[in-house]
Amino acid sequence: MARSSYTPPEDAAKLFSRQKQLVDAQAEIKDPLRDMAVREMRSNGASVGDLARLTGLSTEFFRRIARAEGVERRREPTVGPIKSDD
């Protein structure tokens, strides 16, 4: 398959370069961020909402980490199937 000969204009190249730097920086802190989130949830009582507000990431991102690491829930889930007493 032939390689593209696309060369972006200067303004596009600057924006694309900036995005690439942000993606690289985010990849660099991914593991330390995960470790710190687990520590804060376990030791200091941080909630997934607290961490989401502080980082700009979603609460679901931190919920997944908490579930994977076995962090004790602060409350029961409020969504999901309704359980009957049958």
Side-chain angles (χ1 to χ4, degrees), residues 6 16-17 20 22 32 36 38 49-50 73 75 83 85:
Y6 171 72
F16 297 157
S17 175
K20 176 80 167 87
L22 292 171
M36 186 67 66
V38 171
D50 294 332
R73 288 184 174 175
R75 64 171 175 78
K83 297 178 182 177
D85 292 334

Side-chain angles (χ1 to χ4, degrees), residues 8-28:
E10 186 177 337
D11 61 338
K14 284 181 181 179
L15 184 62
F16 297 157
S17 175
R18 186 173 173 202
Q19 172 63 21
K20 176 80 167 87
Q21 290 172 352
L22 292 171
V23 169
D24 290 346
Q26 190 173 21
E28 184 179 313

Side-chain angles (χ1 to χ4, degrees), residues 26 29 32-34 36-37 40 47-62 65:
Q26 190 173 21
I29 66 166
L33 177 67
R34 179 180 167 74
M36 186 67 66
E40 292 303 299
S47 71
V48 295
D50 294 332
L51 297 175
R53 277 189 299 281
L54 291 168
T55 63
L57 298 169
S58 72
T59 54
E60 185 57 28
F61 176 83
F62 292 106
I65 292 172

